[in-house]
Amino acid sequence: MRRVLNLSLLDTPLELDPQVALRPEPFGALAYHYGTRRLVFVKHHDVVAVARQLAAHPSLSATLQACGIAESRWPSFAKAFATLNESEIVRERPSAG
Amino acid sequence: MSAPALVEELKRGLDAPICLTWELTYACNLQCVHCLSSSGRRDPRELSTTEAKQVLDELRDLQVFYINIGGGEPMVRSDFFELVEYAINPGKGRTGIGVKFSTNGTYIDAAKAQRLASMEYLDIQISIDGIDAATNDRVRGAGSYAMARRAMDHLASAGFGPFKISVVVTRHNVDQLDEFKALADSYGAQLRITRLRPSGRGADTWHDLHPTNAQQRQIYNWLLARGDAVLTGDSFFHLNALGESLPGLNMCGAGRVVCLIDPVGDVYACPFVIHDQFKAGTVRGDGGFAEVWKHSELFRSLREPQSAGACASCGSYDACQGGCMAAKFFTGLPLDGPDPECVAGDADSMLGAVRIELTPRPSLDHSHRRTLSLTTR
C-alpha cells in the first residue's frame, strides 16, 4: 500500500481503499476504514463524488476532468486527496497484472 | 471546513450515529458501585435473538460502521457469540458491522480467547478501575481485578492483538495513570480512560469518587502530554477550559452522533442518561431504530442550537461547551449551566445548594437484590 507524494498525485491512478466504506452525510461523507478502525470526515460533496469515481479513470486529474471540476480548483483537490491518501482512505491503484 | 465548522455541522446531527452503544443485557455477575446502567439482574423484556438480529440488519442498512456492545456483562447472554458473529460476518455479499465490546473479563477463558482472536473487526475492552486489587475491587467488587487480569492474559496468549484496557478515572486511581499505561504497554494493549459519570449507581457514589479539582488538572496535563496515544472516547472535553484543547471532538454527541440502545430496545440519547427524560423511543416501534434516530422529538430538539445559559458570559464556553449533559442532570444542575466539574469552579456553589433528595433518580434499577440477614432466636 504505497503512499504517494502530493506533487505527483494528480498524475497518479488512485482508488478508494477496498477496506473503506463511505456514508453520505449532510456535510459530505463519513469514511470508515475497517482495517485501521479510523473514521475520517470528508467535508465536501465534490470530494466525495470524485472519490467514488477514482477507480474508473487513469489518474486523479482525469477523474477531476470527468467530474467537471474546474482546473482552478485542482490544487485544493490535490491537497484534499493527499490527506485522504495519508489516512489510507484512498490509495495508489495497483497496476494491472 | 475548519474543525469548529465541522463540530457545528455535527451538532445538527448525522443521518445515522457514528458511535452507537448497545447494552445487550442488564444481567451482570458484578455490582460495580458506579455502574452506568445499574445492572445486575436480567430484564425479562430483553430483546430476543431474532429481534437483536433485526436491529443489526437495520444498523447495517443505515451504514453504522461499528457498534459498542456492553451491558451488564454482554457475555452472560447465551447468544453472545451468535450475535457478534452475525454483526461482523452476516454472510455473502453483505457488509459487516465492526464490534467493540466491553467486558469485565470473567467469561474469557483460554478457549473463548481463541475464538475471539479468530474474529476480524472485533475489539475488546476489559475494564479495571485500579492498578491493584485493593483499588480496583473497592469499586468493582471482590475478585474482579484477578478476573480481569486473567482475561488479559488469555487474550495475550491467544494472540488477540491490541485489546483495550478501559479505566474510569476516580479520585482513587488518578495517581495510577502512568501505571495503567505501563500495564497496557506490557500487553501491547491500548489504554482508554473515561470520565466518571453520576449515572446509574454512580448517582449514589459520584460525590465520593469523582476527581477533585486539583486532580482534574492532573488528568488534563497527563492527557495533553500523551496526545492520541491514550483513548478517551472524547469524554474529557469539559477540561478544555484549562487551555489547549485535548484531541478529539469537543462537543456533547448525545442524540447527534451517539446514542444508546438498552437491553429492552429503548433508545436513549447517550449511555449516561438512562432516564425517561432522555428516552427517544424504542427499536420495537413501527419504524424501528431509524425512525427514532431520524424523527424522535427528543433527538430533534438536541440537534437544535443549545442555550449557553448561565455559561454565556464565561470566556471558556467555546472550549468546554458547558460540559456533560448527563453529569449536570444527575447532580441536579440546570442543563444550560456549568458542568458539576466545571474547572472554573462555577458549579461549586450551585452544587452546594442542590437538595440531594430532589435530584433526578435513574429510571431503572436492575441491581442485585440485597439479601437481608435476619437474626432470629
Side-chain angles (χ1 to χ4, degrees):
Chain A
M1 221 185 293
R2 195 156 72 85
R3 300 292 128 208
V4 282
L5 290 172
N6 191 3
L7 289 171
S8 59
L9 200 67
L10 283 168
D11 304 324
T12 308
L14 296 175
E15 65 180 6
L16 273 178
D17 190 292
Q19 290 201 79
V20 166
L22 282 180
R23 183 175 100 188
E25 287 295 343
F27 57 84
L30 283 175
Y32 183 67
H33 193 298
Y34 282 93
T36 64
R37 314 284 211 271
R38 278 185 67 182
L39 188 69
V40 171
F41 298 90
V42 187
K43 291 167 241 165
H44 202 293
H45 290 287
D46 289 343
V47 176
V48 179
V50 171
R52 290 189 191 280
Q53 292 301 316
L54 285 172
H57 301 280
S59 65
L60 174 56
S61 54
T63 319
L64 292 170
Q65 190 124 44
C67 292
I69 308 293
E71 267 198 68
S72 57
R73 297 173 65 202
W74 288 14
S76 65
F77 277 76
K79 210 174 141 201
F81 278 93
T83 309
L84 292 176
N85 183 48
E86 190 81 12
S87 50
E88 300 179 35
I89 298 301
V90 303
R91 64 174 193 182
E92 186 176 355
R93 199 155 70 225
S95 43
Chain B
M1 200 186 293
S2 63
L6 176 65
V7 164
E8 288 313 307
E9 194 72 58
L10 294 178
K11 285 180 182 172
R12 288 192 281 272
L14 294 176
D15 290 354
I18 295 181
C19 174
L20 178 141
T21 301
W22 185 358
E23 290 173 355
L24 283 187
T25 179
Y26 281 117
C28 189
N29 54 309
L30 296 184
Q31 187 81 354
C32 305
V33 300
H34 58 7
C35 179
L36 298 170
S37 53
S38 305
S39 285
R41 289 170 294 124
R42 181 183 170 275
D43 191 302
R45 301 166 300 155
E46 288 179 6
L47 297 178
S48 67
T49 307
T50 309
E51 285 177 307
K53 286 185 176 174
Q54 282 164 358
V55 172
L56 287 169
D57 286 338
E58 206 189 346
L59 298 178
R60 181 173 298 118
D61 291 343
L62 287 169
Q63 274 197 283
V64 171
F65 303 120
Y66 63 93
I67 54 176
N68 300 307
I69 284 179
E73 169 50 53
M75 293 185 80
V76 164
R77 267 187 79 131
S78 57
D79 57 1
F80 171 76
F81 276 98
E82 185 180 348
L83 292 178
V84 170
E85 275 157 8
Y86 186 78
I88 294 172
N89 191 9
K92 210 165 173 260
R94 306 172 75 199
T95 324
I97 302 173
V99 170
K100 179 176 90 177
F101 79 92
S102 299
T103 176
N104 58 44
T106 307
Y107 302 101
I108 301 182
D109 56 18
K112 293 222 176 68
Q114 286 288 352
R115 187 168 179 185
L116 293 165
S118 71
M119 296 161 88
E120 250 188 304
Y121 303 146
L122 179 73
D123 286 325
I124 302 178
Q125 187 166 290
I126 298 186
S127 305
I128 50 170
D129 293 327
I131 197 61
D132 45 50
T135 316
N136 178 83
D137 291 7
R138 261 172 76 184
V139 171
R140 304 185 58 82
S144 59
Y145 181 80
M147 288 191 293
R149 289 297 303 272
R150 203 184 53 210
M152 293 177 200
D153 292 340
H154 283 312
L155 287 176
S157 312
F160 180 83
F163 57 89
K164 295 172 172 59
I165 296 177
S166 188
V167 175
V168 175
V169 182
T170 68
R171 73 179 58 166
H172 306 295
N173 67 20
V174 170
D175 292 331
Q176 302 174 345
L177 289 175
D178 283 331
E179 292 168 89
F180 284 121
K181 182 73 173 78
L183 178 71
D185 290 345
S186 75
Y187 280 113
Q190 265 184 304
L191 178 63
R192 179 174 190 267
I193 69 170
T194 55
R195 184 177 174 196
L196 174 80
R197 263 62 170 226
S199 315
R201 282 194 292 274
D204 297 323
T205 51
W206 181 84
H207 289 274
D208 298 324
L209 288 182
H210 79 95
T212 63
N213 222 333
Q215 288 176 330
Q216 301 224 65
R217 183 171 286 278
Q218 194 180 332
I219 299 166
Y220 171 77
N221 289 331
W222 192 85
L223 282 173
L224 207 57
R226 272 146 201 90
D228 47 19
V230 173
L231 305 170
T232 62
D234 300 353
S235 62
F236 291 103
F237 65 87
H238 68 297
L239 299 181
N240 287 343
L242 288 169
E244 191 187 328
S245 279
L246 298 168
L249 282 180
N250 179 29
M251 60 176 270
C252 164
R256 298 156 158 178
V257 299
V258 311
C259 73
L260 167 78
I261 301 178
D262 91 337
V264 303
D266 286 335
V267 182
Y268 293 90
C270 85
F272 315 112
V273 283
I274 302 184
H275 186 281
D276 287 341
Q277 190 170 325
F278 298 99
K279 183 155 74 180
T282 166
V283 301
R284 284 175 162 145
D286 284 342
F289 172 77
E291 173 69 22
V292 179
W293 177 261
K294 287 175 182 162
H295 304 299
S296 78
E297 208 176 305
L298 172 70
F299 285 0
R300 286 192 351 199
S301 71
L302 289 172
R303 294 165 193 164
E304 297 287 318
Q306 306 290 309
S307 154
C311 297
S313 58
C314 174
S316 295
Y317 182 74
D318 283 344
C320 78
Q321 301 277 311
C324 170
M325 181 174 81
K328 293 187 248 200
F329 182 73
F330 285 120
T331 50
L333 297 181
L335 298 186
D336 62 345
D339 186 285
E341 292 181 300
C342 167
V343 294
D346 289 346
D348 296 355
S349 61
M350 298 171 81
L351 277 176
V354 166
R355 289 175 58 194
I356 299 283
E357 69 277 16
L358 297 181
T359 56
R361 299 293 304 163
S363 295
L364 298 172
D365 187 359
H366 291 84
S367 304
H368 295 291
R369 291 194 182 90
R370 293 216 179 89
T371 343
L372 294 175
S373 48
L374 298 174
T375 314
T376 51
R377 278 170 197 267

